[in-house]
């Protein structure tokens, strides 16, 4: 995230009247880094900031924290085969949500160099969010908890062992920035990261969400078909967002590819969406959707942005007609 982008995000937070005591600036910075990597793939710059507002307090980092609890002993599962990852779709989920609370209004997906996640998201300036990630083994401590000796609080998700990860052994929800991790039936591990959730019994809510997660490789249906891509193109990031209250369109797909120092950005959204990427976008509106391609240099992989755009067919706003066979 650039200094300007961070300043903008902090300004948005500062202008929000009397936010609840769930504001997490480190989380906001990490969200910004993820979004801007997908949008511009710019250099991430480190910086620190402190915002003081009504109802927001900073916890002392010097507060003594008990030593980590002994993690639960996981039952060794019978290994199961994992469905091969499709090669004709750049957006593949390792797991998907089943039940989610009413305050969740949409499911997003993100893939690429910075990790693959599914995100259940609500609406508003401080939209409730539940992240879902899958790991081959017990996940490492999240970056914003490193160096704080987080405690593991054992929990059962269905018939599987798991634990809450928190810096406060008296609060499994970690003061509104919750982490719930458990072992999947195929031996992998899953993590839910949740914040800005409201309502009673949030522990039970997140345990219910976890218990209904559906594991298995799944190609995400997308609103376009690409006849071919140059062999040198490598997927950098992909993001299917559903932030109608923020973006002005109900959803926005961004795919970014790299090739020999070049950056390719493909955008598809309903008309009115603002395209992301570097370089002057080449756009077309057809079948009720707007598709744009931008290159950060005149040619990448031997083709121009306009030539790549000619290889793209948009499939319309009806999601039932979207395809999992995206390339080829």
């Amino acid at each position: 995230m650039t200094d300007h982008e961070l300043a903008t995000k902090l300004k948005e937070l500062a202008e929000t009247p009397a936010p609840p005591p769930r504001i997490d600036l480190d989380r906001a910075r990490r969200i910004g880094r993820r979004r801007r990597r997908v949008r511009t793939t710019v250099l991430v710059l480190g910086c620190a900031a402190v915002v003081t507002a009504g109802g927001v307090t900073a916890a002392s980092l010097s507060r003594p924290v008990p030593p980590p609890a002994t993690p639960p002993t996981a039952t060794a599962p019978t290994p199961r085969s994992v469905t091969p990852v499709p090669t004709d779709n750049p957006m593949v989920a390792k797991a998907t949500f089943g039940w989610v609370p009413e305050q969740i209004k949409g499911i997003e997906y993100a893939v690429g160099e910075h990790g693959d996640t599914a995100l259940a998201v609500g609406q508003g300036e401080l939209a409730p969010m539940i992240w879902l990630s899958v790991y081959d083994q017990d996940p490492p401590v999240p970056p914003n908890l490193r160096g704080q000796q987080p405690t593991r609080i054992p929990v059962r998700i269905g018939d599987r062992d798991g634990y809450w990860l928190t810096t406060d052994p008296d609060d499994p929800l970690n003061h509104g920035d919750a982490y719930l991790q458990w072992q999947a039936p195929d031996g992998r591990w899953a993590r839910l990261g949740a914040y800005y959730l409201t309502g009673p019994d949030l522990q039970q809510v997140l345990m219910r969400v976890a218990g209904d997660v559906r594991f298995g490789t799944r190609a995400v249906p997308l609103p376009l078909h690409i006849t071919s891509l140059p062999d040198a193109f490598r997927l950098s990031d992909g993001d299917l967002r559903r932030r109608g209250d923020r973006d002005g369109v109900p959803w926005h797909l961004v795919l970014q590819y790299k090739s020999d120092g070049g950056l390719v950005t493909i955008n598809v959204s309903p008309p009115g969406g603002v395209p992301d990427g570097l370089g002057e976008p080449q756009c077309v509106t057809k079948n009720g959707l707007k598709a744009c391609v931008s290159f950060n240099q005149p040619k990448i992989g031997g083709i121009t942005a306009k030539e790549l755009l000619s290889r793209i067919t948009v499939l319309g706003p009806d999601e039932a007609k979207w395809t999992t066979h995206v390339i080829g």
Side-chain angles (χ1 to χ4, degrees):
M1 180 187 294
T2 65
D3 290 340
H4 173 73
E5 290 162 353
L6 177 59
T8 300
K9 186 63 181 178
L10 293 175
K11 181 176 181 296
E12 292 174 357
L13 289 174
E15 291 176 350
T16 302
R22 288 191 174 91
I23 289 180
D24 182 338
L25 297 184
D26 182 72
R27 173 76 71 172
R29 287 193 291 268
R30 289 187 288 112
I31 295 170
R33 283 197 292 269
R34 172 75 202 199
R35 290 178 58 186
R36 301 306 173 184
R37 276 195 295 258
V38 172
R39 291 172 177 256
T40 59
T41 315
V42 296
L43 177 65
V44 176
L45 302 176
C47 59
V50 176
V51 173
T52 303
V56 181
T57 59
S60 171
L61 297 180
S62 63
R63 180 170 59 88
V65 179
T70 301
T73 302
T75 303
T78 301
R80 299 185 184 182
S81 60
V82 177
T83 305
V85 176
T87 58
D88 60 350
N89 191 322
M91 190 163 293
V92 177
K94 298 177 181 178
T96 56
F97 289 98
W99 180 87
V100 292
E102 185 177 351
Q103 58 194 288
I104 297 300
K105 303 303 180 183
I107 306 297
E108 301 182 350
Y109 295 95
V111 297
E113 295 176 350
H114 308 291
D116 302 344
T117 59
L119 173 61
V121 62
Q123 295 179 345
E125 180 65 25
L126 300 179
M129 297 186 182
I130 307 175
W131 296 85
L132 170 62
S133 302
V134 177
Y135 301 81
D136 291 335
Q137 55 189 0
D138 193 353
V141 174
N144 65 318
L145 296 186
R146 290 173 188 166
Q148 301 185 54
Q149 293 185 308
T151 297
R152 294 184 176 194
I153 301 178
V155 68
R156 294 284 288 181
I157 303 299
D159 61 350
R160 313 304 305 174
D161 286 317
Y163 57 90
W164 299 96
L165 195 62
T166 176
T167 58
D168 185 347
D170 295 325
D171 181 10
L173 293 176
N174 195 40
H175 302 288
D177 188 10
Y179 294 96
L180 175 58
Q181 304 183 169
W182 74 102
Q183 194 168 35
D186 62 7
R188 294 181 296 172
W189 281 77
R191 170 189 286 163
L192 290 183
Y195 56 102
Y196 298 149
L197 293 177
T198 59
D201 301 322
L202 290 181
Q203 282 183 245
Q204 295 301 317
V205 168
L206 289 177
M207 290 172 64
R208 182 177 175 185
V209 171
D212 207 33
V213 165
R214 300 162 188 176
F215 293 94
T217 301
R218 172 181 174 268
V220 178
L222 298 181
L224 78 167
H225 178 260
I226 307 171
T227 56
S228 64
L229 291 174
D231 292 338
F233 278 25
R234 296 292 179 266
L235 181 69
S236 172
D237 281 292
D239 189 23
L240 179 58
R241 292 169 47 81
R242 297 184 184 274
R243 311 287 178 91
D245 58 328
R246 303 291 298 275
D247 292 344
V249 290
W251 55 266
H252 188 167
L253 171 68
V254 180
L255 299 174
Q256 286 195 323
Y257 291 86
K258 291 180 179 178
S259 177
D260 297 328
L263 179 66
V264 175
T265 306
I266 300 171
N267 291 261
V268 179
S269 74
V274 178
D276 299 334
L278 300 177
E280 185 67 25
Q282 301 291 320
C283 301
V284 64
T285 299
K286 193 174 182 180
N287 294 336
L289 296 180
K290 179 182 178 181
C292 296
V293 175
S294 59
F295 283 16
N296 68 335
Q297 54 195 46
K299 280 192 174 184
I300 302 176
I303 63 173
T304 65
K306 188 173 183 179
E307 288 172 324
L308 178 55
L309 182 63
S310 70
R311 301 183 185 186
I312 296 174
T313 300
V314 290
L315 305 179
D318 182 356
E319 297 193 23
K321 297 181 180 179
W322 292 7
T323 184
T324 56
H325 175 61
V326 177
I327 302 171

